[in-house]
Amino acid sequence: MDEVEVVVAHSERATLRVGDVFLKVDADQSRIDVEVEVMSLAPVPTPEVLWRKPPVLALAAVPGTTLGRLGGPSTGSPAAWGAAGAALRKLHDAPLPARIGGAGRNIVALTAELDDECERLVANGVLPADLVTRNRQVAEAALRPWTPAFTHGDLQIAHVFVDGGEVTGIIDWSEAGQGDALYDLATFTLGHEEHLDDVIAGYGTDVDLDVIQAWWSLRSLLIVRWLTEHGFDPFAPGCEVDVLRSRM
């Protein structure tokens, strides 16, 4: 019998792997609904839906390997990173889905959340004030009008699978919808800044590097406390706190 591997687990959701099947258990059924819907619309390789019985979604494993993980060494050739950039461009150019995704937060609401979170990080002694202040300044560049694109919304490096120079699958679509394309590019290269040029080369168009750097700071500031409270370690080498320190 195949062993059960816990891929990720916290109070909101869990993903298990049994052989070549991933079982996603989510307390919020709407996230599963979104995932199934947007995967059917995305013009890039996505996992096959095997069956669905709320609150569980069964997906087939995608072939290939990821390009690495946050806090770990990156793998893959420049061509593989470029292929990921090309897949992102294809996604961003696709017809818009109906819903607003995780990359499509209202600027006013996002600014208020960021300022509140920065205040908490300092008041609770999670991060030093100078680190928070500097990254809040950097993050300002992301708080601008943007043209809606079809975005993944949580495009961590571990969510993109490649084989050689080809993208074989992109997983975890629960945050997908209309959003800022540069948010996807920033999330994918978070902690792996050395591959940004390869990704942009594959993407095939100029992008505002200041905005990508701003999203690195903004995303990291917003998630540090959540990660700590849910059993993850943003202070591990190469992870979110190191991303924030790199902007000093």
Side-chain angles (χ1 to χ4, degrees), residues 96-105 146 148-151 175-181:
L96 294 176
R99 72 182 301 271
I100 302 298
R105 296 285 307 280
W146 40 267
F150 189 152
T151 53
E175 298 297 325
Q178 296 183 32
D180 180 358

Side-chain angles (χ1 to χ4, degrees), residues 21-33:
V21 178
F22 285 90
L23 301 175
K24 303 191 71 172
V25 185
D26 201 316
D28 183 350
Q29 186 57 37
S30 65
R31 283 193 289 253
I32 297 294
D33 295 339

Side-chain angles (χ1 to χ4, degrees), residues 66 152 154-161 169-172:
T66 68
H152 181 281
D154 189 24
L155 199 73
Q156 302 173 45
I157 187 175
H159 292 165
V160 179
F161 287 73
I170 299 177
I171 65 172
D172 285 357

Side-chain angles (χ1 to χ4, degrees), residues 60-248:
V62 297
T65 58
T66 68
L67 289 170
R69 60 179 178 81
L70 185 62
S74 60
T75 59
S77 64
W81 286 87
L88 267 179
R89 180 63 183 273
K90 189 174 182 179
L91 176 67
H92 293 161
D93 285 345
L96 294 176
R99 72 182 301 271
I100 302 298
R105 296 285 307 280
N106 174 275
I107 295 175
V108 174
L110 183 60
T111 301
E113 180 184 355
L114 177 62
D115 289 339
D116 181 60
E117 189 62 27
C118 288
E119 183 178 341
R120 291 187 181 189
L121 288 169
V122 175
N124 295 336
V126 179
L127 293 174
D130 61 340
L131 184 64
V132 173
T133 299
R134 170 56 183 157
N135 278 276
R136 175 60 183 85
Q137 293 169 346
V138 174
E140 185 67 25
L143 302 171
R144 87 287 178 223
W146 40 267
T147 301
F150 189 152
T151 53
H152 181 281
D154 189 24
L155 199 73
Q156 302 173 45
I157 187 175
H159 292 165
V160 179
F161 287 73
V162 298
D163 185 1
E166 179 183 358
V167 173
T168 55
I170 299 177
I171 65 172
D172 285 357
W173 292 82
S174 61
E175 298 297 325
Q178 296 183 32
D180 180 358
L182 296 191
Y183 180 89
D184 273 353
L185 286 167
T187 302
F188 182 61
T189 54
L190 184 75
H192 293 286
E193 184 173 348
E194 69 276 13
H195 292 292
L196 179 60
D197 287 345
D198 296 326
V199 174
I200 293 174
Y203 196 68
T205 187
D206 291 336
V207 301
D208 191 328
L209 297 181
D210 288 341
V211 174
I212 290 180
Q213 292 175 6
W215 276 123
W216 287 339
S217 290
L218 199 158
R219 179 181 169 92
S220 297
L221 287 169
L222 288 182
I223 205 170
V224 164
R225 197 165 53 87
W226 184 94
L227 290 169
T228 302
E229 293 172 354
H230 287 79
F232 302 99
D233 186 8
F235 290 86
C239 292
E240 285 81 3
V241 175
D242 273 357
V243 170
L244 294 173
R245 289 171 178 154
S246 71
R247 305 271 70 85
M248 296 297 285

Side-chain angles (χ1 to χ4, degrees), residues 15-50:
T15 300
L16 310 176
R17 179 170 185 167
V18 185
D20 289 332
V21 178
F22 285 90
L23 301 175
K24 303 191 71 172
V25 185
D26 201 316
D28 183 350
Q29 186 57 37
S30 65
R31 283 193 289 253
I32 297 294
D33 295 339
V34 168
E35 183 150 13
V36 172
E37 177 185 356
V38 297
M39 284 195 301
S40 70
L41 300 174
V44 294
T46 61
E48 176 189 359
V49 176
L50 299 177

